[in-house]
mmCIF file of all heavy atoms in Angstrom:
data_model
loop_
_atom_site.group_PDB
_atom_site.id
_atom_site.type_symbol
_atom_site.label_atom_id
_atom_site.label_comp_id
_atom_site.label_asym_id
_atom_site.label_seq_id
_atom_site.Cartn_x
_atom_site.Cartn_y
_atom_site.Cartn_z
ATOM 1 N N ARG S 88 121.282 45.163 167.233
ATOM 2 C CA ARG S 88 121.765 44.023 168.024
ATOM 3 C C ARG S 88 123.122 44.339 168.651
ATOM 4 O O ARG S 88 123.357 44.072 169.827
ATOM 5 C CB ARG S 88 121.856 42.781 167.139
ATOM 6 C CG ARG S 88 122.140 41.512 167.931
ATOM 7 C CD ARG S 88 122.304 40.276 167.053
ATOM 8 N NE ARG S 88 121.268 40.138 166.060
ATOM 9 C CZ ARG S 88 121.489 39.858 164.772
ATOM 10 N NH1 ARG S 88 122.720 39.694 164.328
ATOM 11 N NH2 ARG S 88 120.497 39.722 163.926
ATOM 12 N N ARG S 89 124.017 44.935 167.860
ATOM 13 C CA ARG S 89 125.348 45.283 168.376
ATOM 14 C C ARG S 89 125.247 46.341 169.477
ATOM 15 O O ARG S 89 125.964 46.272 170.478
ATOM 16 C CB ARG S 89 126.243 45.782 167.238
ATOM 17 C CG ARG S 89 126.719 44.669 166.350
ATOM 18 C CD ARG S 89 127.605 45.182 165.246
ATOM 19 N NE ARG S 89 128.014 44.101 164.364
ATOM 20 C CZ ARG S 89 128.497 44.263 163.150
ATOM 21 N NH1 ARG S 89 128.648 45.476 162.669
ATOM 22 N NH2 ARG S 89 128.840 43.231 162.416
ATOM 23 N N GLU S 90 124.365 47.327 169.298
ATOM 24 C CA GLU S 90 124.188 48.351 170.320
ATOM 25 C C GLU S 90 123.663 47.742 171.617
ATOM 26 O O GLU S 90 124.147 48.093 172.704
ATOM 27 C CB GLU S 90 123.224 49.432 169.827
ATOM 28 C CG GLU S 90 123.824 50.381 168.814
ATOM 29 C CD GLU S 90 122.823 51.391 168.298
ATOM 30 O OE1 GLU S 90 121.709 51.484 168.866
ATOM 31 O OE2 GLU S 90 123.152 52.086 167.326
ATOM 32 N N ARG S 91 122.674 46.856 171.516
ATOM 33 C CA ARG S 91 122.120 46.201 172.712
ATOM 34 C C ARG S 91 123.189 45.379 173.422
ATOM 35 O O ARG S 91 123.299 45.393 174.651
ATOM 36 C CB ARG S 91 120.934 45.316 172.333
ATOM 37 C CG ARG S 91 119.661 46.085 172.063
ATOM 38 C CD ARG S 91 118.436 45.184 172.086
ATOM 39 N NE ARG S 91 118.583 43.997 171.247
ATOM 40 C CZ ARG S 91 118.165 43.884 169.991
ATOM 41 N NH1 ARG S 91 117.600 44.914 169.403
ATOM 42 N NH2 ARG S 91 118.328 42.773 169.320
ATOM 43 N N GLN S 92 124.003 44.657 172.635
ATOM 44 C CA GLN S 92 125.061 43.836 173.220
ATOM 45 C C GLN S 92 126.104 44.724 173.916
ATOM 46 O O GLN S 92 126.541 44.426 175.030
ATOM 47 C CB GLN S 92 125.730 42.994 172.137
ATOM 48 C CG GLN S 92 126.736 42.000 172.673
ATOM 49 C CD GLN S 92 127.338 41.141 171.562
ATOM 50 O OE1 GLN S 92 127.099 41.396 170.385
ATOM 51 N NE2 GLN S 92 128.111 40.153 171.930
ATOM 52 N N ALA S 93 126.492 45.818 173.266
ATOM 53 C CA ALA S 93 127.464 46.735 173.875
ATOM 54 C C ALA S 93 126.902 47.331 175.160
ATOM 55 O O ALA S 93 127.628 47.452 176.167
ATOM 56 C CB ALA S 93 127.826 47.835 172.889
ATOM 57 N N GLU S 94 125.630 47.686 175.162
ATOM 58 C CA GLU S 94 124.993 48.236 176.372
ATOM 59 C C GLU S 94 124.956 47.199 177.486
ATOM 60 O O GLU S 94 125.232 47.515 178.654
ATOM 61 C CB GLU S 94 123.576 48.703 176.020
ATOM 62 C CG GLU S 94 122.834 49.357 177.153
ATOM 63 C CD GLU S 94 123.433 50.685 177.575
ATOM 64 O OE1 GLU S 94 124.176 51.295 176.790
ATOM 65 O OE2 GLU S 94 123.174 51.095 178.717
ATOM 66 N N ARG S 95 124.640 45.955 177.137
ATOM 67 C CA ARG S 95 124.596 44.885 178.148
ATOM 68 C C ARG S 95 125.982 44.672 178.760
ATOM 69 O O ARG S 95 126.120 44.557 179.985
ATOM 70 C CB ARG S 95 124.084 43.594 177.508
ATOM 71 C CG ARG S 95 123.738 42.513 178.529
ATOM 72 C CD ARG S 95 123.123 41.279 177.890
ATOM 73 N NE ARG S 95 124.100 40.601 177.051
ATOM 74 C CZ ARG S 95 123.966 40.372 175.751
ATOM 75 N NH1 ARG S 95 122.883 40.769 175.117
ATOM 76 N NH2 ARG S 95 124.908 39.759 175.067
ATOM 77 N N ILE S 96 127.013 44.641 177.916
ATOM 78 C CA ILE S 96 128.388 44.458 178.417
ATOM 79 C C ILE S 96 128.771 45.637 179.310
ATOM 80 O O ILE S 96 129.367 45.457 180.386
ATOM 81 C CB ILE S 96 129.366 44.301 177.232
ATOM 82 C CG1 ILE S 96 129.134 42.953 176.550
ATOM 83 C CG2 ILE S 96 130.811 44.417 177.689
ATOM 84 C CD1 ILE S 96 129.876 42.789 175.249
ATOM 85 N N ARG S 97 128.416 46.845 178.897
ATOM 86 C CA ARG S 97 128.730 48.033 179.695
ATOM 87 C C ARG S 97 128.036 47.978 181.048
ATOM 88 O O ARG S 97 128.644 48.281 182.093
ATOM 89 C CB ARG S 97 128.307 49.289 178.933
ATOM 90 C CG ARG S 97 128.816 50.584 179.549
ATOM 91 C CD ARG S 97 128.361 51.782 178.751
ATOM 92 N NE ARG S 97 126.935 52.013 178.856
ATOM 93 C CZ ARG S 97 126.331 52.611 179.889
ATOM 94 N NH1 ARG S 97 127.031 53.017 180.914
ATOM 95 N NH2 ARG S 97 125.028 52.788 179.895
ATOM 96 N N MET S 98 126.781 47.542 181.074
ATOM 97 C CA MET S 98 126.032 47.442 182.334
ATOM 98 C C MET S 98 126.648 46.384 183.238
ATOM 99 O O MET S 98 126.745 46.577 184.459
ATOM 100 C CB MET S 98 124.557 47.132 182.054
ATOM 101 C CG MET S 98 123.810 48.275 181.410
ATOM 102 S SD MET S 98 123.828 49.770 182.374
ATOM 103 C CE MET S 98 122.590 49.383 183.577
ATOM 104 N N GLU S 99 127.078 45.254 182.651
ATOM 105 C CA GLU S 99 127.708 44.209 183.460
ATOM 106 C C GLU S 99 129.014 44.713 184.087
ATOM 107 O O GLU S 99 129.305 44.455 185.263
ATOM 108 C CB GLU S 99 127.974 42.964 182.619
ATOM 109 C CG GLU S 99 126.729 42.173 182.291
ATOM 110 C CD GLU S 99 127.000 41.027 181.328
ATOM 111 O OE1 GLU S 99 128.165 40.835 180.917
ATOM 112 O OE2 GLU S 99 126.028 40.327 180.980
ATOM 113 N N GLU S 100 129.788 45.459 183.284
ATOM 114 C CA GLU S 100 131.030 46.028 183.813
ATOM 115 C C GLU S 100 130.733 47.026 184.930
ATOM 116 O O GLU S 100 131.434 47.061 185.949
ATOM 117 C CB GLU S 100 131.819 46.713 182.684
ATOM 118 C CG GLU S 100 132.456 45.741 181.719
ATOM 119 C CD GLU S 100 133.097 46.434 180.535
ATOM 120 O OE1 GLU S 100 132.983 47.679 180.411
ATOM 121 O OE2 GLU S 100 133.725 45.721 179.723
ATOM 122 N N MET S 101 129.675 47.845 184.742
ATOM 123 C CA MET S 101 129.290 48.796 185.786
ATOM 124 C C MET S 101 128.870 48.068 187.052
ATOM 125 O O MET S 101 129.237 48.466 188.163
ATOM 126 C CB MET S 101 128.135 49.676 185.301
ATOM 127 C CG MET S 101 128.555 50.823 184.427
ATOM 128 S SD MET S 101 129.475 52.013 185.354
ATOM 129 C CE MET S 101 128.197 53.172 185.733
ATOM 130 N N LYS S 102 128.109 46.962 186.902
ATOM 131 C CA LYS S 102 127.689 46.181 188.068
ATOM 132 C C LYS S 102 128.895 45.626 188.807
ATOM 133 O O LYS S 102 128.974 45.683 190.042
ATOM 134 C CB LYS S 102 126.785 45.021 187.640
ATOM 135 C CG LYS S 102 125.348 45.362 187.491
ATOM 136 C CD LYS S 102 124.558 44.101 187.199
ATOM 137 C CE LYS S 102 123.112 44.412 186.944
ATOM 138 N NZ LYS S 102 122.352 43.212 186.601
ATOM 139 N N ALA S 103 129.843 45.074 188.043
ATOM 140 C CA ALA S 103 131.041 44.503 188.663
ATOM 141 C C ALA S 103 131.823 45.598 189.388
ATOM 142 O O ALA S 103 132.295 45.402 190.518
ATOM 143 C CB ALA S 103 131.921 43.839 187.618
ATOM 144 N N LYS S 104 131.960 46.749 188.749
ATOM 145 C CA LYS S 104 132.700 47.850 189.371
ATOM 146 C C LYS S 104 131.985 48.323 190.637
ATOM 147 O O LYS S 104 132.603 48.544 191.674
ATOM 148 C CB LYS S 104 132.812 49.005 188.374
ATOM 149 C CG LYS S 104 133.731 50.115 188.827
ATOM 150 C CD LYS S 104 133.602 51.320 187.917
ATOM 151 C CE LYS S 104 134.612 51.274 186.807
ATOM 152 N NZ LYS S 104 134.594 52.513 185.995
ATOM 153 N N MET S 105 130.644 48.449 190.537
ATOM 154 C CA MET S 105 129.869 48.926 191.681
ATOM 155 C C MET S 105 129.922 47.925 192.827
ATOM 156 O O MET S 105 130.074 48.303 193.986
ATOM 157 C CB MET S 105 128.421 49.200 191.285
ATOM 158 C CG MET S 105 128.252 50.419 190.458
ATOM 159 S SD MET S 105 128.785 51.852 191.384
ATOM 160 C CE MET S 105 128.747 53.069 190.131
ATOM 161 N N SER S 106 129.817 46.662 192.500
ATOM 162 C CA SER S 106 129.857 45.669 193.571
ATOM 163 C C SER S 106 131.244 45.619 194.213
ATOM 164 O O SER S 106 131.365 45.437 195.426
ATOM 165 C CB SER S 106 129.453 44.285 193.063
ATOM 166 O OG SER S 106 130.384 43.837 192.105
ATOM 167 N N ALA S 107 132.287 45.835 193.413
ATOM 168 C CA ALA S 107 133.641 45.870 193.979
ATOM 169 C C ALA S 107 133.778 47.068 194.910
ATOM 170 O O ALA S 107 134.353 46.955 196.014
ATOM 171 C CB ALA S 107 134.676 45.942 192.863
ATOM 172 N N LYS S 108 133.247 48.195 194.518
ATOM 173 C CA LYS S 108 133.295 49.379 195.381
ATOM 174 C C LYS S 108 132.495 49.150 196.655
ATOM 175 O O LYS S 108 132.901 49.551 197.752
ATOM 176 C CB LYS S 108 132.764 50.598 194.629
ATOM 177 C CG LYS S 108 133.724 51.187 193.638
ATOM 178 C CD LYS S 108 133.166 52.471 193.074
ATOM 179 C CE LYS S 108 134.155 53.107 192.120
ATOM 180 N NZ LYS S 108 133.624 54.358 191.562
ATOM 181 N N LYS S 109 131.358 48.495 196.450
ATOM 182 C CA LYS S 109 130.508 48.223 197.617
ATOM 183 C C LYS S 109 131.220 47.292 198.576
ATOM 184 O O LYS S 109 131.204 47.497 199.805
ATOM 185 C CB LYS S 109 129.186 47.613 197.156
ATOM 186 C CG LYS S 109 128.153 47.500 198.246
ATOM 187 C CD LYS S 109 126.827 47.046 197.676
ATOM 188 C CE LYS S 109 125.773 46.986 198.750
ATOM 189 N NZ LYS S 109 124.494 46.524 198.224
ATOM 190 N N LEU S 110 131.878 46.266 198.065
ATOM 191 C CA LEU S 110 132.648 45.353 198.915
ATOM 192 C C LEU S 110 133.753 46.101 199.651
ATOM 193 O O LEU S 110 134.001 45.874 200.845
ATOM 194 C CB LEU S 110 133.253 44.217 198.079
ATOM 195 C CG LEU S 110 132.306 43.081 197.694
ATOM 196 C CD1 LEU S 110 132.989 42.145 196.710
ATOM 197 C CD2 LEU S 110 131.879 42.312 198.934
ATOM 198 N N GLN S 111 134.409 46.986 198.939
ATOM 199 C CA GLN S 111 135.481 47.772 199.549
ATOM 200 C C GLN S 111 134.933 48.636 200.685
ATOM 201 O O GLN S 111 135.531 48.720 201.764
ATOM 202 C CB GLN S 111 136.131 48.634 198.475
ATOM 203 C CG GLN S 111 137.476 49.195 198.848
ATOM 204 C CD GLN S 111 138.090 49.943 197.672
ATOM 205 O OE1 GLN S 111 137.387 50.403 196.786
ATOM 206 N NE2 GLN S 111 139.396 50.041 197.683
ATOM 207 N N ARG S 112 133.763 49.253 200.456
ATOM 208 C CA ARG S 112 133.150 50.076 201.494
ATOM 209 C C ARG S 112 132.784 49.234 202.709
ATOM 210 O O ARG S 112 133.005 49.631 203.857
ATOM 211 C CB ARG S 112 131.900 50.770 200.948
ATOM 212 C CG ARG S 112 132.184 52.009 200.143
ATOM 213 C CD ARG S 112 130.941 52.865 199.958
ATOM 214 N NE ARG S 112 129.763 52.146 199.498
ATOM 215 C CZ ARG S 112 129.432 51.965 198.201
ATOM 216 N NH1 ARG S 112 130.218 52.443 197.254
ATOM 217 N NH2 ARG S 112 128.348 51.304 197.893
#
Side-chain angles (χ1 to χ4, degrees):
R88 189 183 313 133
R89 285 180 182 162
E90 285 177 10
R91 283 196 309 265
Q92 186 178 8
E94 183 67 20
R95 192 175 67 239
I96 290 171
R97 191 180 69 80
M98 291 302 282
E99 286 174 1
E100 288 174 356
M101 279 292 263
K102 275 185 184 177
K104 189 190 268 186
M105 287 298 171
S106 64
K108 283 187 177 180
K109 189 173 182 181
L110 281 172
Q111 197 175 24
R112 279 196 311 270

